[in-house]
């Protein structure tokens, strides 16, 4: 993987895009004491959860369903509002797929309709949000300087994918916090020797950019866990009688991963995430979870598993990590 989509680390650029180096230097405006990555969240994006909530932005209407996961998101929203108070939400999602390198959405005000291609009868969502362009460009510059092939997306015609929209809505349905969204390089799905190493580099770039720009950031890894799913749904999509794990093997592996998360620290997850991917076709193969934990420096604390549930058979968990390991709410 590294030899396909990484380039030699270049010297600092003169002119053009700004370089944020890591050497100490005087600053006219010191970074606030509490700036940095204040939390990271595993925030799965199944469209069913938004469908079940009936927000005004989503056209289809439902009778509810998947309450355990939706209640977990309600608790998470309260923590974000009352505890973390971020300046920005940074999301990495597996369905903004880029075949070459990593892209950062730097469009100031993305607007449009996002449609889930497999479940258009559940998810037709009108979005309108603000991008933290300065931070997005800083992440792209840091990633380039660390040797990743990176591009800044400035095309206002961009259509934002449903995984990005889903995670952002479920964490902040008011849409009043600026956003930076990152693409998922699809190389792992085509090269058997690929690893998650590159996502750790992207995480380091994200951390550097957040700290240099003085933001308070919450990171969102928009991944499900086990990802085998049913190919037919019931006549009523929210019929909870039909909802259960795809099979016991998938469920037990999800529990193995979540028990390790609950125990902490996160460093052993480096290997366990890879094992889980091989055992369950996990959506973490897109790298979002690895990116987030790497950006946080692989926290020495347990994750708070706020809820777990299945959606069309796939495993989904809402999990929060904080740098200090403190959880309130």
């Amino acid at each position: 993987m590294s030899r396909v989509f990484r380039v030699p680390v270049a010297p600092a650029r003169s002119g053009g895009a700004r370089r944020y180096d890591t050497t100490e230097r005087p600053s006219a405006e010191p970074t606030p004491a509490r700036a940095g990555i204040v939390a990271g969240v595993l925030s799965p994006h199944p469209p069913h959860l938004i469908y079940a909530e009936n927000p005004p932005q989503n056209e289809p209407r439902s009778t509810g369903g998947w309450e355990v996961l939706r209640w977990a998101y309600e608790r998470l929203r309260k923590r974000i509002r009352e505890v973390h108070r971020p300046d920005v939400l940074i999301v990495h999602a597996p369905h903004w797929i880029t075949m070459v390198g990593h892209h950062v959405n730097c469009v100031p005000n993305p607007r449009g309709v996002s449609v889930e291609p497999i479940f258009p009868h559940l998810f037709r969502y009108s979005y309108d949000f603000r991008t933290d362009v300065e931070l997005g460009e800083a992440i792209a510059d840091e990633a380039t300087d660390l040797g990743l092939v990176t591009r800044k997306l400035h095309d206002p015609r961009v259509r934002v994918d449903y995984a990005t929209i889903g995670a952002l809505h479920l964490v902040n349905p008011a849409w009043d916090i600026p956003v930076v969204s990152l693409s998922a390089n699809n190389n792992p799905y085509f090269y058997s020797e690929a690893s998650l190493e590159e996502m750790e580099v992207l995480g380091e770039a994200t951390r550097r950019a957040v700290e240099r720009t003085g933001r308070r950031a919450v990171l969102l890894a928009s991944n499900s866990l086990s990802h085998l799913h049913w190919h037919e749904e019931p006549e009523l999509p929210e019929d909870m009688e039909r909802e259960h794990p795809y099979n016991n093997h998938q469920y037990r592996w999800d529990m193995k991963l979540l028990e390790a998360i609950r125990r902490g620290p996160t460093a052993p997850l480096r290997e366990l995430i890879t094992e889980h991917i091989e055992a369950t076709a996990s959506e973490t193969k897109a790298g979002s979870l690895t990116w987030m934990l790497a950006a946080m420096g692989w926290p020495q604390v347990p994750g708070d598993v706020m809820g777990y549930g299945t959606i069309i058979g796939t495993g989904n968990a809402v999990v929060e990590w904080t740098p200090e390991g403190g959880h309130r709410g």
Side-chain angles (χ1 to χ4, degrees), residues 213-289:
T213 56
R215 302 299 199 264
R216 290 176 58 86
V218 170
L219 308 186
L220 308 179
S222 179
N223 284 152
S224 294
L225 297 180
S226 61
H227 209 55
L228 296 182
H229 53 79
W230 314 118
H231 296 286
E232 296 181 4
E233 65 179 356
E235 182 176 350
L236 181 69
E238 57 267 39
D239 182 353
M240 291 295 98
E241 181 183 13
R242 302 286 295 276
E243 190 59 81
H244 56 84
Y246 186 84
N247 59 33
N248 186 57
H249 171 83
Q250 299 284 99
Y251 174 75
R252 294 315 317 170
W253 265 96
D254 281 352
M255 292 304 103
K256 181 176 181 178
L257 182 66
L258 290 174
E259 286 292 351
I261 287 171
R262 293 176 70 239
R263 286 193 304 269
T266 61
L269 297 180
R270 273 192 173 103
E271 297 298 327
L272 188 55
I273 288 171
T274 300
E275 295 174 10
H276 183 263
I277 290 168
E278 294 173 352
T280 68
S282 174
E283 198 174 35
T284 58
K285 188 173 186 178
S288 305
L289 180 57

